[in-house]
Amino acid sequence: MGELMMNAPMQSAMKDLVGRYCRAEYFPSACVRIFDSSRTPTSVCVDEVGEDSLFDLASVTIIATTTGILKLIDEKSFILDDEVSAFFE
């Protein structure tokens, strides 16, 4: 993995921020990865996770999909009675 590009004070502040949300029980653990223009990652992981940890994003995708569908319904671009096959013609 590439060299960390974020300076130490910024990385420490980011770790403190993510750690604060973990302690407030917004989520049990976290690993935040930031990329610069050369795609070199900077990672900050808190609690029992590391850069190679896997996370289940199923709940996140459900929220994103539902939000997208509701937006299409609001724009009258999608009706719940539409046939799914109509979108693949």
Side-chain angles (χ1 to χ4, degrees):
M1 194 147 315
E3 174 185 340
L4 295 178
M5 301 302 290
M6 185 180 286
N7 65 39
M10 286 179 72
Q11 195 165 19
S12 177
M14 185 173 221
K15 190 167 190 159
D16 288 344
L17 176 67
V18 175
R20 198 167 46 228
Y21 279 96
C22 285
R23 288 187 299 280
E25 298 181 356
Y26 282 91
F27 35 78
S29 58
C31 190
V32 178
R33 183 170 282 178
I34 298 174
F35 294 85
D36 64 12
S37 60
S38 67
R39 309 276 305 153
T40 303
T42 297
S43 296
V44 172
C45 300
V46 295
D47 287 339
E48 297 181 20
V49 296
E51 291 182 22
D52 59 346
S53 295
L54 300 176
F55 294 89
D56 180 10
L57 296 178
S59 297
V60 174
T61 58
I62 289 169
I63 292 168
T65 302
T66 303
T67 302
I69 289 172
L70 290 172
K71 184 173 178 358
L72 290 172
I73 290 170
D74 189 51
E75 295 171 351
K76 310 278 190 270
S77 300
F78 181 79
I79 299 170
L80 290 177
D81 292 330
D82 286 344
E83 297 279 333
V84 173
S85 60
F87 296 98
F88 297 99
E89 294 177 347

